[in-house]
Structures are given as structure tokens and as C-alpha cells.
Amino acid sequence: EAQVTQNPRYLITVTGKKLTVTCSQNMNHEYMSWYRQDPGLGLRQIYYSMNVEVTDKGDVPEGYKVSRKEKRNFPLILESPSPNQTSLYFCASSLSRTGLGGYTFGSGTRLTVV
Amino acid sequence: GESVGLHLPTLSVQEGDNSIINCAYSNSASDYFIWYKQESGKGPQFIIDIRSNMDKRQGQRVTVLLNKTVKHLSLQIAATQPGDSAVYFCAENISGTYKYIFGTGTRLKVLA
């Protein structure tokens, strides 16, 4: 089944403790992206990647890092999480760089930073 | 499950009736639009898309209408079913960029 897999689904952590949210897609998509979803706001892009070793900042990149060492994986790294990073995170991928035909989203990771 | 927001506008529709969900987009330079459906505890799912050179596009039980004059997009769902209950939001692509602006969404509740 074609899908984007994120792990973990739920995570509670403490301020300052480094964490990684993994994302993997099995569709051979070139384009991958991370979004956060907060009440009252639309999805906001954190980082995106056009291909292996090619990443760029989205609208809200502060406090996050990403890497794209393999085509299928695009982990999101929070080096020193803070409470304002408590959110619902989605990884997405697309065959087209322009997103034509829509993105395939993962099921989400609910992160709480206390 | 994951909640996309407690303050979303809500549309309640009787099962079997038609639903119309609206979206006002922000950028007159946007030339491609997508409707997504997000069920509780799941990621957004592509429903239908439309380019700015079209006014209307139909899928299976869904129709998207685009009015560029007033920057308005609507999603019509025919014969609404309980499985249609979800949050629906639109996304616009700004021409010449890879950037999408996502709406905040409308919660659709289907009443039995």
C-alpha cells in the first residue's frame, strides 16, 4: 500500500530533550515536506526537500532541523524542544515538485512539550 | 484522536442531502487549488483539484467550483453520507512557486 509512515504517533517530552520524528514513504516520491497544524491555523510548512540532500526552509523553520540522506526518509529533528512546539505534525510527499495531484500525508504525530 | 481545532466553523447536514463547503482564498496569483478531507485521527486526504483556467470540475459525488473574480472556491458533496463527516480545507498554490497556503477548514457533521 502506498503510504507515508510517521513515528511515533504520540510523544510527550520535556523541554530541551532532543527528539526525532521519523517519516518514510514507499512511493519513490522526490518531494517531501513537514507541516505543523495548530488550532485556528492552517497547515504551516516547516521544511521541505526537493530530492536527496536538497532541503529548504518553509514558513516556520525555527527550532527544527531536517535531513534527506535517502529518498524515502525525511526525519524531523527538534534539537531543544520548547513548549511552543507542542503541535500536531504531518509529513507529506508528492511525486511532483509542484504538488500537482496533491500531497500524500502521514497520519500525524501529536507532540507535547512540557 | 487528534483534533484539528475546536473553533472551526461547522456545517451540519442531514444524511442524503447535498453539502456545500466554502473557501475564500487569499492570493490572486494562485492558479491551482486542492480540497482535502481530514478525518479524526488521520492525515489530510486529497479529494479533488482544479486549475485556474477552469470554473468547475467534477469527481465522484464531489464538484469544485472556482470563482476567480471574488477569489472563492466551493466544494459540493452530493448525497452526503456519514463517512463524509470530517474537516475539509482548501489549499492554494501561488503561481510560479512550490508554496501552498492552507485554509483552516470547515467541520462537516452528517446527521442520521
Side-chain angles (χ1 to χ4, degrees), chain A residues 55-110:
Chain A
T55 64
D56 209 345
K57 297 177 181 178
D59 297 317
V60 289
E62 295 78 20
Y64 305 94
K65 286 175 56 178
V66 292
S67 69
R68 188 90 181 273
K69 297 177 181 175
E70 306 165 280
K71 198 170 188 178
R72 63 183 294 127
N73 296 324
F74 190 45
L76 179 70
I77 303 156
L78 284 72
E79 294 272 3
S80 183
S82 63
N84 64 12
Q85 291 178 299
T86 292
S87 187
L88 178 57
Y89 291 87
F90 289 101
C91 180
S93 73
S94 172
L95 182 64
S96 161
R97 291 183 174 188
T98 61
L100 202 64
Y103 297 130
T104 301
F105 285 87
S107 297
T109 296
R110 169 71 72 183

Side-chain angles (χ1 to χ4, degrees), chain B residues 4-15:
Chain B
V4 302
L6 301 177
H7 310 291
L8 291 174
T10 298
L11 175 66
S12 297
V13 175
Q14 206 68 35
E15 181 179 355

